[in-house]
Amino acid sequence: VNQVAKLTLVSSACDVVSTAYASTKESHPYIRSVCDAAEKGVKSVTEATASCVQPVLTTLEPHVAAASEYASKGLDKLGEKLPLLQKPVEQIISDTKELVSSRVADAKDAASS
């Protein structure tokens, strides 16, 4: 999970969503109260679940470590094959807009000639 969170695409997407969430809460008091209640509920459920799950996690720790190592190697290979994962969301959007504009311009040129 930590390795996925450190991917540029994932971390920048989380930043964008977090900024939008905070801005929405700040701008809309009714939404803020709903979000605050939801956050408290999620926190309570997370705390309750963590205490119940901890003994199971301790038992499964060797298996979780093996799965984590396997997943880590897979993510490394995925990162090599998909360089897009190392780009921030803003750059991907910008590159996509440029590509679409270029293709539309090419199509216009082809249609006019």
Side-chain angles (χ1 to χ4, degrees), residues 1-25:
V1 172
N2 288 333
Q3 191 173 356
V4 171
K6 289 178 184 176
L7 291 171
T8 305
L9 175 62
V10 174
S11 65
S12 70
C14 288
D15 290 344
V16 168
V17 170
S18 178
T19 300
Y21 180 77
S23 174
T24 300
K25 278 180 65 174

Side-chain angles (χ1 to χ4, degrees), residues 42-100:
V42 168
K43 184 178 179 184
S44 297
V45 168
T46 302
E47 289 170 354
T49 303
S51 63
C52 295
V53 172
Q54 190 57 46
V56 175
L57 289 178
T58 302
T59 304
L60 296 176
E61 189 173 351
H63 304 291
V64 171
S68 179
E69 185 177 336
Y70 182 74
S72 179
K73 289 177 183 176
L75 282 170
D76 289 342
K77 287 182 181 180
L78 188 63
E80 292 169 10
K81 298 206 183 276
L82 292 173
L84 180 77
L85 295 173
Q86 303 304 327
K87 294 182 179 182
V89 171
E90 295 82 4
Q91 185 179 357
I92 294 170
I93 292 170
S94 175
D95 292 350
T96 303
K97 285 180 181 179
E98 286 179 31
L99 179 63
V100 169

